[in-house]
């Protein structure tokens, strides 16, 4: 488990990327050349690597032109593992993700030939790369107040990475508490036997806090030749207040009899062992009755601070809300129709729920007539967006509708623009959040947690559990073509 290279890239919207930090490991590159054989592709220099990565992430290249590699229907990427084009061929696997204007990227070592490409679960370096990049993300975002402080933390990366990943081998991935001021990095020497994240000892009654959050993303087209898509993304956060330098805790996630199996499970490095059935459950494979459905056990030596125990995906049978959207032009006005139906298996109690209808490439809304069966409709200040505030629950019928006509004034440069949503092409985005509920049925309780320490532990689980979506919201998209 080693890395061939590591990069931190700055990229703001409508701006060119800039490599803030990079580190390469020639000894690991030599091993890659030997392991990969004829399928070996060298890691390019920072300039070509940056250009190829931005293109692959769709952050650079022609804005309004169709590019088969980027926009083709055959491209379905469910992970953050990419293949980037270089002058010597496709470099794969490249682990990369974007957060707060920064791109975190790494090239893990694959200890086997890459043609044909092996399954991701067979390349152990991928999970190590994710863990180290997540640690760098936590380090750069912890106690960050301004741009100057971020630059100062970027300046600490050379010594931090030298300690955390010597010679390309990640030894320490929990970097959120690392700081050159509060805990100076040792100049060298063998790693400590005890986990370095447990720098302080807890005294008191053992307590374990767990929180499950699921996000759902769905796209519905209402067309026979275009399949609807939806998927659930989950995260389990944990905080263990347990005495001892290296305490042992075991956490289990459970599913009901009709629950949807968890897939693509990525665990925190403090997890000491894992069942092979958990590691091999992938969303790329078709789900059948033989799929592993738990319980999902995670024995671990927890850090003292809150951490994300695991991430997962799941393919639930149906999306939580079904929708239909139609937009037709009649003379100088546009007639719109929206129908929404809450699935009967979903808890009908929202913290918030609203549908947004944006109108791109048009002038401001000058006329609006509508009829809704539930909630209220608002027009944004920019006069380019309709907001349907549904509220905290659906009616007893679980179905609501919106019909109306809308007219627009002359278009201006200040109005919202989009190269795709032209003519009658449009969509609705639905944002909602439900507490004390998960789509997969995933849950945990005090009987699913074991703490091997003196005293009876206090378990907190259940209340924080909820479902939401991207950027603290969940959306369902209904494009019209």
């Amino acid at each position: 488990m080693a890395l061939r290279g590591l990069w931190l890239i700055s990229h703001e919207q409508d701006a060119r990327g800039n490599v803030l930090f990079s580190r390469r490991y020639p000894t690991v590159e030599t091993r890659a050349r030997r392991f990969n054989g004829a399928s070996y592709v060298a890691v390019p220099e920072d300039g070509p690597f940056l250009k190829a990565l931005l293109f692959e992430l769709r952050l650079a290249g022609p804005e309004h032109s169709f590019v088969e590699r980027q926009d083709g229907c055959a491209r379905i990427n469910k992970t953050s593992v990419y293949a980037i084009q270089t002058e010597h061929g496709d470099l794969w696997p490249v682990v990369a993700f974007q957060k707060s204007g920064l791109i975190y990227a790494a090239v893990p070592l694959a200890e086997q030939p890459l043609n044909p490409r092996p399954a991701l679960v067979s390349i152990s370096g991928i999970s190590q790369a994710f863990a180290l990049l997540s640690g760098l993300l936590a380090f750069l975002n912890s106690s960050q107040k301004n741009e100057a402080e971020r630059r100062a933390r970027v300046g600490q990366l050379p010594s931090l990475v030298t300690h955390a990943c010597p010679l390309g081998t990640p030894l320490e991935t929990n970097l959120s508490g690392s700081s050159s001021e509060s805990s100076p990095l040792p100049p060298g020497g063998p790693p400590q036997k005890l986990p370095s994240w447990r720098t302080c000892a807890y005294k008191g009654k053992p307590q374990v806090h767990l929180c499950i959050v699921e996000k759902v993303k769905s796209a519905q087209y209402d067309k026979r030749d275009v399949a609807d898509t939806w998927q659930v993304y989950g995260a389990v956060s944990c905080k263990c207040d347990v005495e001892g330098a290296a305490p042992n805790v075991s956490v289990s996630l459970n599913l009901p009899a009709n629950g949807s199996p968890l897939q693509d499970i990525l665990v925190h490095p403090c997890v000491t062992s894992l069942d092979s059935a958990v590691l091999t459950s992938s969303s790329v494979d078709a789900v059948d009755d033989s799929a592993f459905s738990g319980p999902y056990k995670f024995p671990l030596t927890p850090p003292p601070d809150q951490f994300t125990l695991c991430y997962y995906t799941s393919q639930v049978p149906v999306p939580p809300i079904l929708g239909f959207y139609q937009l037709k032009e009649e003379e100088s006005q546009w007639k719109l129709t929206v129908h929404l139906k809450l699935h009967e298996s979903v808890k009908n109690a929202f913290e918030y729920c609203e549908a947004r209808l944006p109108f791109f490439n048009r002038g401001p809304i000058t006329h609006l007539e509508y009829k809704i069966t539930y909630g209220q409709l608002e027009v944004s200040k920019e006069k380019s967006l309709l907001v349907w505030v549904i509220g905290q629950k659906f009616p007893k019928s679980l179905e609501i509708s919106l019909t109306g006509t809308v007219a627009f004034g002359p278009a201006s440069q200040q109005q919202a623009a989009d190269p795709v949503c032209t003519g009658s092409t449009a969509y609705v985005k639905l944002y909602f959040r439900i507490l004390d509920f998960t789509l997969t049925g995933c849950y945990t309780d005090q009987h699913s947690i074991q703490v091997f320490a003196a005293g009876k532990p206090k378990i907190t689980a259940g209340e924080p559990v909820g479902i939401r979506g991207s950027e603290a919201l969940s959306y369902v998209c209904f494009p019209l073509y």
Side-chain angles (χ1 to χ4, degrees):
M1 296 183 289
L3 302 181
R4 298 166 61 184
L6 185 68
W7 291 263
L8 177 67
I9 299 169
S10 173
H11 184 274
E12 300 292 344
Q13 188 173 6
D14 300 327
R16 297 179 60 185
N18 180 35
V19 178
L20 300 179
F21 170 79
S22 67
R23 178 66 58 86
R24 299 164 185 275
Y25 300 98
T27 55
V28 182
E29 194 68 18
T30 300
R31 293 165 58 191
R33 186 181 296 108
R34 183 174 69 252
F35 282 126
N36 301 158
S39 59
Y40 168 77
V41 176
V43 176
E45 295 299 322
D46 286 353
F49 180 87
L50 171 62
K51 183 178 179 181
L53 180 62
L54 293 180
F55 178 83
E56 185 64 24
L57 295 178
R58 303 179 183 177
L59 299 175
E63 295 185 1
H64 305 294
S65 301
F66 176 83
V67 180
E68 178 65 31
R69 182 183 178 90
Q70 285 185 325
D71 309 315
C73 295
R75 175 192 170 107
I76 301 177
N77 192 16
K78 294 185 177 181
T79 68
S80 294
V81 180
Y82 302 91
I84 66 173
Q85 287 182 314
T86 71
E87 61 179 359
H88 301 295
D90 285 358
L91 178 63
W92 183 90
V94 178
V95 178
F97 59 83
Q98 187 178 15
K99 185 72 173 180
S100 301
L102 294 177
I103 300 174
Y104 301 79
V107 179
L109 172 67
E111 300 180 348
Q112 66 255 66
L114 300 179
N115 190 15
R117 290 180 183 174
L120 295 181
V121 295
S122 68
I123 305 177
S124 57
I126 290 180
S127 60
Q128 284 290 309
F130 270 117
L132 182 60
L133 294 178
S134 298
L136 293 179
L137 170 65
F139 170 74
L140 291 174
N141 288 312
S142 60
S143 303
Q144 179 179 307
K145 298 179 180 179
N146 50 48
E147 183 64 24
E149 185 170 343
R150 189 180 83 166
R151 287 197 296 268
R153 289 205 166 236
V154 171
Q156 298 174 22
L157 289 183
S159 58
L160 178 68
V161 172
T162 298
H163 167 69
C165 188
L167 300 177
T169 302
L171 298 180
E172 174 62 83
T173 57
N174 192 332
L175 309 176
S176 59
S178 302
S179 172
S180 60
E181 297 178 359
S182 59
S183 56
L185 298 175
Q192 298 180 356
K193 294 182 179 180
L194 296 180
S196 59
W197 54 69
R198 297 202 64 85
T199 56
C200 58
Y202 171 79
K203 296 294 183 181
K205 184 178 180 180
Q207 302 181 67
V208 178
H209 308 268
L210 285 172
C211 178
I212 303 175
V213 175
E214 291 186 350
K215 303 178 181 180
V216 58
K217 294 184 178 181
S218 174
Q220 303 175 34
Y221 303 93
D222 195 43
K223 293 175 67 71
R224 293 183 178 179
D225 56 339
V226 181
D228 297 341
T229 62
W230 61 89
Q231 191 168 32
V232 172
Y233 301 83
V236 182
S237 59
C238 180
K239 188 176 189 301
C240 300
D241 296 327
V242 185
E243 292 185 356
N248 294 319
V249 178
S250 178
V251 176
S252 296
L253 300 179
N254 305 299
L255 293 176
N258 60 344
S260 301
L262 309 185
Q263 303 169 323
D264 305 325
I265 298 176
L266 177 65
V267 300
H268 190 276
C270 71
V271 176
T272 56
S273 64
L274 209 57
D275 193 304
S276 60
V278 175
L279 290 174
T280 55
S281 180
S282 171
S283 61
V284 178
D285 303 325
V287 179
D288 53 32
D289 295 336
S290 63
F292 183 68
S293 57
Y296 304 87
K297 296 183 179 181
F298 304 96
L300 61 140
T301 302
D305 300 322
Q306 180 172 314
F307 64 100
T308 302
L309 174 63
C310 69
Y311 298 93
Y312 62 84
T313 67
S314 182
Q315 187 63 57
V316 295
V318 293
I321 298 178
L322 299 173
F324 169 80
Y325 180 35
Q326 187 177 63
L327 187 65
K328 290 184 177 181
E329 185 176 12
E330 294 183 355
E331 298 180 353
S332 60
Q333 295 182 332
W334 290 83
K335 183 178 180 180
L336 59 91
T337 303
V338 182
H339 294 293
L340 299 176
K341 180 180 180 180
L342 179 68
H343 194 269
E344 56 270 15
S345 64
V346 178
K347 180 181 178 180
N348 189 12
F350 298 85
E351 183 177 351
Y352 55 79
C353 182
E354 66 179 35
R356 300 182 184 180
L357 290 71
F359 297 98
F360 297 102
N361 309 311
R362 308 175 191 276
I365 297 174
T366 57
H367 175 77
L368 174 64
E369 293 182 3
Y370 66 91
K371 178 182 179 181
I372 54 176
T373 60
Y374 200 78
Q376 61 185 36
L377 191 66
E378 301 174 355
V379 182
S380 67
K381 295 181 179 179
E382 297 79 12
K383 305 293 183 181
S384 60
L385 175 71
L386 295 181
V387 180
W388 184 6
V389 181
I390 299 169
Q392 296 183 332
K393 65 186 307 180
F394 276 59
K396 292 183 178 180
S397 64
L398 302 182
E399 296 186 34
I400 58 177
S401 63
L402 161 66
T403 57
T405 57
V406 60
F408 305 93
S412 63
Q413 295 182 351
Q414 287 73 27
Q415 298 301 126
D418 186 275
V420 175
C421 293
T422 59
S424 60
T425 303
Y427 62 84
V428 175
K429 275 189 177 180
L430 183 63
Y431 298 80
F432 63 89
R433 182 176 181 180
I434 307 175
L435 298 179
D436 303 317
F437 176 78
T438 58
L439 277 177
T440 60
C442 180
Y443 71 94
T444 188
D445 53 36
Q446 60 181 0
H447 305 293
S448 305
I449 300 173
Q450 292 180 303
V451 178
F452 302 95
K456 184 178 180 181
K458 177 182 178 181
I459 309 298
T460 303
E463 289 187 359
V465 175
I467 176 172
R468 58 179 185 177
S470 180
E471 299 178 355
L473 298 170
S474 179
Y475 70 82
V476 184
C477 178
F478 312 103
L480 173 66
Y481 294 97

